[in-house]
Amino acid sequence: MFIFGIAVMVKLANIQFVQGDEYRAKASERIVKDFVIPANRGNVYSVNGNLLATSIPKYDIRFDALTPTSSIFEENLKTLCDSLAKFPGRKTSSQYQRLIRKARANKNRYLLLAKNLGYLEYMRMRTFPMLKLSPFKGGLIVEQKTKREHPMGGIAQRTIGYERIDEEGNVTRPGLDGAFGVKYLRGTDGKHAKQQIGKNQWKPIVDYNKIEPKDGLDVYTTIDVNIQDIAHHALLKQLEYYEAEHGCVVVMEVETGEIRAISNLGRTEKGTYYERLNYAVGESHEPGSTFKVMALMAALEDKVVDTATIVDTKKGVKTFYRRKIYDSHHGGYGEISVAKALEVSSNIGLATIIDENYADNPERFLKYIDKWSLNKTLNLPIIGEGKPVIPKPGDKLWSKNALPSMAYGYNLRLTPLQTLTFYNAIANNGVMVKPRFLKSVREFEDVVEAFDKEVIKSKICSDKTLGEIQEILKNVVERGTGKRLYSPHFSMAGKTGTAQTEYWMEDWKENKRYVSSFAGYFPVENPKYSCIVVIHKPSTQKGYYGADVSGPVFKSIAQKIFTDTPLIDEIESLEVQHASVKKQFESYYNTAQTYRTIMPNVVGLPAMDAIALLENMGLKVSFKGSGVVKKQSVAKGQKVKKNQNVVLEIS
């Protein structure tokens, strides 16, 4: 017994002094535990300051039924239940009384009264009898959580994105919200101690070591909500009409590369459309005829052809290495210039140009693809950017037909945003800028970090090649494959694209599928925006050519931007006066005021200026035509009388 007693004492000493800290920690963990207080996630704003994504606080209200004294409980129970019953869709007062009395009898210290309350509802409930007392008198327990909301609804929702963490810790981070969550938006979580009051039930306690959370920073994107709305609805309308599988549209500011709008819509089984995937960033596909611009630019820059070189497109069919290539125009175009081949989008024309000049040395052609970084990703911050596929000799995709196929946009893959970046460089006088989604990061109103444009290539080609391609792209809309899009009210330049897709599948002939696209910029004279529209698998019964399916979306966006979002720079440019013309007018005006009987020389003046000048001298003016004065009926220096007739010929 003595030995047994000694053993018990040794064990107690071991537990007390050797393992004491470990057991005390376990006991404390069971009773009191630190819980994370999530930081408020930063907001995402448009470039105009409109809210695109925000964290809305939601509140769960619980009740510790044992905390109130008997007198407080009985005095306030009836009025508390009457107040709770006034919340729409909840229990009656008598039901609440039975529920709370049962909780007190069962010693429930964690009774749920309301869930997912908004801030105003939460503040209202805090004023209810008994709950308005301190938590240690009235038993109020408040649990706060946040929910991510998108005020614009489904518009640009995939691009705005989110960051979600599942129960296993796996993180899903699409879009801007996901891409910049770790660095800017998340913030730093705090912590607060809670006491265990039952199985899996914890109650907040007074914690002097509480760490307050630090809210995340706000991200200001380059998205313009007005242009985004225009692009979204223009795309949606066309997808619905053509019953297409999915599509995307991107609008980029030419000079800066800032993305003003990006919409990605996929079709559901019910035939409706929603922001399903970020096709513009993540989907690589054969670009079709929009790649012909790159192919011809390489040939022009390499000086193997010029725009006047004649190419024979036959009668619409030509065999390349035992494989026939067709033009969409029945009967073909015959012998046409290189410029015309691109204007009418001749597959045979472009394939002939590239094959005849580069078949023996394809690397000579591919070096331009490499120079323009078309074989590289844009290294965007958005997760999931699609990779371009540009085959080269030795690859599985390479064959004798690879080069002529690439000339008209097959046997390679690009994402819509990669294609747009190249077209934007053409509009930007050869300067290739990286597409940009972020304008700045702010903490309240203080700018923490600002983002400037990033130049990928300072010059993609010579001024001569650039000018020739710009002229051809303008002619595509005025008289080429995009002539249905031409408008005398605003100018556009671009290239249509129609590519077969899934043509390797056995059922393609019975169920043909196409990708329709249009890439370009506007206005032609001083490009402000570039834009690409890509629509996959439109109904072939309604149409599938790029000019018919995607082109109208481009035109609608351009037209509405001009109408709803006036270009201030363009308006200001109309007010600019040439110093020489102004000086000349002032000279003539002063002469007319000094010598009111002497006819001035008005040839070369704008018609309205000349008419105003002569009428101020008391002369009667009649004119023909519009523009500037080409000829005047009374010669300079002759004497004139009041009410004398003067005829101006204007052109």
Side-chain angles (χ1 to χ4, degrees), residues 182-426:
V182 176
K183 191 172 183 180
Y184 301 119
L185 292 165
R186 275 189 188 177
T188 305
D189 292 339
K191 67 176 184 178
H192 188 280
K194 291 185 179 182
Q195 183 181 21
Q196 190 174 26
I197 56 176
K199 186 177 181 181
N200 295 324
Q201 295 183 0
W202 297 83
K203 173 185 174 182
I205 61 174
V206 176
D207 183 7
Y208 297 104
N209 296 318
K210 178 180 179 181
I211 299 175
E212 294 291 345
K214 183 179 179 182
D215 293 345
L217 301 174
D218 294 331
V219 166
Y220 282 74
T221 71
T222 60
I223 300 295
D224 184 307
V225 293
N226 296 321
I227 298 177
Q228 178 68 43
D229 186 65
I230 291 169
H232 174 88
H233 287 99
L235 177 64
L236 178 61
K237 179 181 177 181
Q238 204 73 343
L239 289 173
E240 289 177 337
Y241 176 77
Y242 281 96
E243 301 173 7
E245 182 188 86
H246 66 271
C248 67
V249 57
V250 185
V251 180
M252 183 191 297
E253 191 174 80
V254 169
E255 184 179 358
T256 64
E258 294 181 357
I259 302 299
R260 291 289 178 245
I262 177 169
S263 185
N264 301 275
L265 296 173
R267 194 168 189 256
T268 67
E269 293 181 356
K270 296 180 180 179
T272 58
Y273 292 88
Y274 73 108
E275 287 266 339
R276 182 179 175 187
L277 295 170
N278 199 334
Y279 304 109
V281 173
E283 184 176 42
S284 297
H285 65 94
E286 290 179 313
S289 297
T290 54
F291 190 80
K292 290 174 182 174
V293 172
M294 293 78 151
L296 181 56
M297 278 185 67
L300 292 173
E301 190 70 358
D302 206 25
K303 295 182 173 58
V304 295
V305 296
D306 59 36
T307 54
T309 301
I310 299 301
V311 58
D312 188 1
T313 64
K314 305 297 182 181
K315 294 183 178 180
V317 183
K318 185 176 179 179
T319 301
F320 290 80
Y321 309 104
R322 299 181 180 179
R323 180 169 166 267
K324 290 182 178 180
I325 292 178
Y326 300 86
D327 275 342
S328 59
H329 181 65
H330 183 70
Y333 301 100
E335 293 185 352
I336 55 176
S337 69
V338 164
K340 184 74 172 178
L342 186 58
E343 288 177 21
V344 298
S345 198
S346 170
N347 294 338
I348 296 172
L350 270 297
T352 300
I353 293 168
I354 301 304
D355 185 64
E356 287 183 353
N357 293 285
Y358 297 102
D360 296 333
N361 187 9
E363 287 85 357
R364 185 179 169 188
F365 171 77
L366 293 173
K367 76 176 183 181
Y368 288 97
I369 307 301
D370 180 65
K371 174 185 175 182
W372 296 328
S373 300
L374 293 173
N375 58 345
K376 303 179 182 69
T377 64
L378 293 167
N379 195 26
L380 300 173
I382 293 180
I383 298 169
E385 181 184 358
K387 294 182 179 180
V389 178
I390 308 290
K392 58 185 178 180
D395 293 346
K396 285 185 178 181
L397 291 175
W398 193 264
S399 66
K400 288 186 176 181
N401 270 305
L403 205 57
S405 296
M406 290 174 67
Y408 58 98
Y410 286 84
N411 205 48
L412 71 144
R413 290 179 175 272
L414 295 173
T415 68
L417 197 52
Q418 288 161 353
T419 300
L420 178 61
T421 301
F422 190 85
Y423 275 77
N424 191 80
I426 296 173

Side-chain angles (χ1 to χ4, degrees), residues 56 63 85 90 94 102 155 206 258 260-261 268 290 310 344 364 376 384 430 435 449 517 520 565 589 593 616 626:
I56 303 296
F63 178 62
R90 303 189 188 276
S94 58
K102 182 178 179 181
I155 296 179
V206 176
E258 294 181 357
R260 291 289 178 245
T268 67
T290 54
I310 299 301
V344 298
R364 185 179 169 188
K376 303 179 182 69
E449 189 172 355
S517 57
T565 315
Y589 184 80
Q593 295 301 308
N616 283 334
S626 61

Side-chain angles (χ1 to χ4, degrees), residues 102-118:
K102 182 178 179 181
R104 190 171 176 87
N106 293 335
K107 299 182 179 180
N108 187 344
R109 311 195 68 167
Y110 203 61
L111 175 66
L112 180 65
L113 294 181
K115 194 172 183 179
N116 287 326
L117 295 183

Side-chain angles (χ1 to χ4, degrees), residues 99-171:
L99 178 68
I100 295 174
R101 287 191 181 279
K102 182 178 179 181
R104 190 171 176 87
N106 293 335
K107 299 182 179 180
N108 187 344
R109 311 195 68 167
Y110 203 61
L111 175 66
L112 180 65
L113 294 181
K115 194 172 183 179
N116 287 326
L117 295 183
Y119 181 74
L120 294 178
E121 290 178 311
Y122 157 64
M123 292 302 294
R124 177 184 167 193
M125 188 169 280
R126 284 188 69 108
T127 64
F128 287 177
M130 193 149 50
L131 299 183
K132 66 182 179 181
L133 303 175
S134 68
F136 304 105
K137 286 187 177 181
L140 174 66
I141 300 173
V142 180
E143 294 181 339
Q144 179 181 338
K145 55 187 177 181
T146 57
K147 183 180 179 183
R148 204 65 169 164
E149 297 283 355
H150 296 88
M152 289 184 64
I155 296 179
Q157 190 169 359
R158 192 70 188 181
T159 302
I160 297 167
Y162 55 84
E163 186 177 36
R164 293 176 185 165
I165 303 176
D166 63 18
E167 295 177 354
E168 297 179 358
N170 299 316
V171 185

